[in-house]
Amino acid sequence: MASQLLLFDHRPTLAAMNEFCQFTRSEIDAKQNLLQTALKGNSQAQKDYSSIIQKHAELLRRCRQQNWLQDQAIWLRMYSCDARAGTIDEVLDRIVNKGYNEVYVEVFADSQVLLPPNANPTPWDSVIKLQGAENVDLLAETIKKGHQRGLKVYAWLFTMNFGYAYAQRSDRQAVLARNGKGETSLAVVDDQSQAFIDPYNSQAQQDYYQLVQEILKRQPDGILFDYVRYPRGTGSRSAVGEVKDLWVYGTASRNALLNRATNNKGRALLDRYVTQGFITQEDVNAVDKLYPDEGSPMWQGRIPPENEMKEPLSVRFQRLKNEIWYFAVAHAAQGVVSFLTNAAALAQNRGIPAGAVFFPDGNQPVGEKGFDSRLQAWDRFPTSLEWHPMSYAVCEQSNCIIEQVKIVINAAAPQTKVIPALAGQWGRTYNRRPSLEDQMRAIRVGLPRVTAVSHFAFSWQESEFDKERRFCQN
């Protein structure tokens, strides 16, 4: 025991860490051995384990303070088996060992929430299925144990993708987003499991905001909203080029679109457009006759030429045909932005930071008048949020990844914190991407504004351990 106690000198030295704030193998092994002994009930080992945790927390804090990279986070999915004694401890220890001082814990995905089965008022099932663990609060425990190790713990949750099981509920069919063919996202997404909702639907808002409030009761250090978009189709359906491609045919979204009209002509023309999928010159003429006392068709933000009504019908029609398309696209995109803004405000009003996770290319135009089907208008996300661009471009060097982050930085307000999410592995090329070390070194040189990054994902770095946790094998 005397040799073990030498580990707990209360004068921690940074020599125990490398340039990425990762711990040496001897420190890692000592901590793991103490955890295993402590779990067997050894009281001295329990005290020593607590001491080494505190020591590593202080070393990590000091290393990050002295490092160009102030915050390094990792994305973590939790499983039911994590409710077993010691599992969360080992997960968080492995995260600290690799120099991470933040962890993004998945709390809502695939129609499951990280809430205790006996304290889950949401319409989704709990992640926890382990018998006897009905009252275990994995999120609260992870936050507590994370703080003991010097980790900030963020809650990470899907936003507009409510999951397959939710989409099967007979009382939630009106909540789902629909396109002009009457389809839900289950019909167009590859895995047929992503159920996107109509962001204008009040039931969707009520269900989601209740979930967010429950998560915030656990007082995470931050909250991150993912899937802040519409679905990505395959092939030709990966882009939208006409109104019937848009997910605006749910009752709530359609009504909200029509209500954006500011006169009867505008409403009538919008109604015809959505119903038919197009407007004709005759439609413009017909609404003129229906409401002869009104001027130009009007909707929010429309500023027609002063003498538009004196122009030839063919000229007016061409202008209206273009404007009504872009207006419908803007309406769809605004639904995403508003849904996010209102959810994030629940956290910000409590003083808890909120962030949005997005693809840098999720808002790109396609062709002459088309758009990426996700309509992820991240450049219109609130500047008060953290921006987390998923910078997953594939290239042998890191140049394409740097370019993705640059796009976001150039669009961000000076006060907006940009925290790139990087995909890859330590020490080796993975999925045709450079090592994490190489990616971070490139960011340091090319993007000095960036002082925080995240890595996707713990399951990639610890695949065998992740499998054991998932199936209760260890």
Side-chain angles (χ1 to χ4, degrees):
M1 184 57 68
S3 61
Q4 268 192 343
L5 290 177
L6 291 175
L7 291 167
F8 313 124
D9 185 342
H10 290 289
R11 296 165 296 173
T13 170
L14 292 180
M17 315 182 87
N18 67 11
E19 63 172 309
F20 296 103
C21 298
Q22 297 172 334
F23 286 89
T24 62
R25 173 49 56 185
S26 61
E27 292 275 347
I28 292 170
D29 289 345
K31 182 164 59 176
Q32 176 66 8
N33 291 337
L34 283 171
L35 172 59
Q36 296 306 317
T37 307
L39 288 173
K40 295 174 183 176
N42 185 303
S43 59
Q44 184 59 50
Q46 289 168 357
K47 291 178 184 177
D48 292 344
Y49 178 62
S50 178
S51 295
I52 201 171
I53 283 174
Q54 293 174 34
K55 171 191 170 184
H56 284 188
E58 175 61 17
L59 279 168
L60 183 60
R61 183 188 67 79
R62 289 172 55 194
C63 185
R64 283 284 155 223
Q65 279 185 339
Q66 298 173 24
N67 199 291
W68 72 273
L69 197 60
Q70 299 293 296
D71 296 303
Q72 180 177 280
I74 193 164
W75 303 79
L76 173 69
R77 167 167 283 188
M78 305 291 287
Y79 303 111
S80 181
C81 302
D82 290 334
R84 297 175 302 165
T87 304
I88 295 176
D89 298 279
E90 184 170 1
V91 169
L92 296 178
D93 284 348
R94 290 185 183 221
I95 286 171
V96 168
N97 292 343
K98 293 188 175 182
Y100 296 104
N101 62 337
E102 293 188 357
V103 56
Y104 301 157
V105 176
E106 187 179 70
V107 298
F108 171 55
D110 301 328
S111 281
Q112 294 189 327
V113 296
L114 195 64
L115 294 172
N118 286 348
N120 176 18
T122 77
W124 296 280
D125 288 339
S126 171
V127 169
I128 301 170
K129 306 292 193 297
L130 209 60
Q131 190 172 359
E134 292 80 7
N135 294 310
V136 172
D137 195 328
L138 268 181
L139 177 56
E141 287 193 20
T142 303
I143 292 170
K144 178 183 176 182
K145 290 176 181 289
H147 288 172
Q148 291 170 349
R149 291 164 173 78
L151 290 168
K152 285 186 178 179
V153 181
Y154 274 52
W156 155 41
L157 66 168
F158 286 11
T159 305
M160 286 177 56
N161 176 6
F162 279 19
Y164 180 84
Y166 184 95
Q168 304 311 303
R169 292 180 57 131
S170 60
D171 61 345
R172 292 296 192 275
Q173 295 306 297
V175 173
L176 304 178
R178 295 184 186 276
N179 61 20
K181 299 176 183 178
E183 297 170 319
T184 70
S185 60
L186 296 179
V188 304
V189 176
D190 256 352
D191 59 13
Q192 298 182 325
S193 69
Q194 298 177 24
F196 285 77
I197 52 87
D198 177 352
Y200 289 96
N201 185 279
S202 59
Q203 184 67 62
Q205 295 165 4
Q206 180 181 328
D207 286 345
Y208 193 71
Y209 301 158
Q210 179 188 40
L211 165 63
V212 172
Q213 295 280 27
E214 288 298 316
I215 297 303
L216 294 174
K217 286 179 183 177
R218 277 73 185 174
Q219 297 185 305
D221 296 297
I223 188 165
L224 297 180
F225 297 97
D226 199 355
Y227 280 86
V228 192
R229 59 179 177 85
Y230 293 105
R232 176 74 183 267
T234 56
S236 63
R237 305 192 83 169
S238 65
V240 293
E242 58 183 51
V243 68
K244 287 203 171 184
D245 295 333
L246 299 178
W247 299 94
V248 297
Y249 283 82
T251 301
S253 185
R254 179 175 178 146
N255 287 342
L257 175 60
L258 297 182
N259 288 338
R260 292 187 187 277
T262 55
N263 67 1
N264 291 316
K265 273 189 185 179
R267 187 180 183 92
L269 202 60
L270 283 167
D271 190 33
R272 287 173 182 241
Y273 182 57
V274 176
T275 302
Q276 298 169 173
F278 56 87
I279 55 169
T280 65
Q281 194 165 298
E282 180 51 38
D283 288 320
V284 178
N285 190 43
V287 299
D288 282 345
K289 291 178 179 178
L290 273 174
Y291 303 102
D293 296 334
E294 293 186 351
S296 299
M298 296 293 291
W299 45 78
Q300 292 173 1
R302 180 160 199 262
I303 305 175
E306 188 174 343
N307 297 316
E308 184 175 56
M309 293 305 293
K310 295 179 180 179
E311 293 178 331
L313 180 61
S314 60
V315 174
R316 293 174 55 221
F317 164 65
Q318 287 298 330
R319 181 184 299 116
L320 286 164
K321 185 175 74 167
N322 286 334
E323 290 184 2
I324 203 168
W325 160 241
Y326 290 117
F327 184 68
V329 171
H331 166 75
Q334 185 58 48
V336 176
V337 175
S338 296
F339 196 83
L340 166 67
T341 301
N342 292 332
L346 298 174
Q348 292 173 318
N349 291 341
R350 290 172 175 248
I352 295 175
V357 188
F358 56 87
F359 290 104
D361 61 353
N363 62 346
Q364 295 299 299
V366 177
E368 189 176 342
K369 292 184 181 178
F371 294 91
D372 187 294
S373 63
R374 291 168 289 187
L375 288 183
Q376 192 167 43
W378 55 262
D379 51 325
R380 288 166 51 192
F381 289 173
T383 58
S384 60
L385 299 184
E386 295 176 356
W387 285 11
H388 292 253
M390 291 178 280
S391 309
Y392 297 166
V394 174
C395 49
E396 291 186 4
Q397 305 301 320
S398 297
N399 54 302
C400 64
I401 297 164
I402 298 300
E403 287 306 309
Q404 281 194 329
V405 183
K406 274 185 181 176
I407 290 170
V408 177
I409 287 178
N410 290 339
Q415 72 272 21
T416 301
K417 191 170 186 180
V418 177
I419 305 172
L422 308 177
Q425 288 271 25
W426 290 101
R428 65 186 179 94
T429 300
Y430 184 74
N431 285 351
R432 297 183 295 145
R433 295 183 182 90
S435 69
L436 292 173
E437 293 97 324
D438 286 347
Q439 292 184 52
M440 289 190 292
R441 286 171 180 141
I443 285 174
R444 183 180 188 183
V445 172
L447 303 168
R449 172 175 167 177
V450 174
T451 60
V453 302
S454 66
H455 295 161
F456 191 89
F458 183 82
S459 59
W460 289 9
Q461 296 185 17
E462 303 274 3
S463 56
E464 284 303 313
F465 180 52
D466 192 76
K467 182 180 178 182
E468 292 172 1
R469 291 169 49 229
R470 189 173 185 177
F471 299 107
C472 300
Q473 291 176 341
N474 58 349

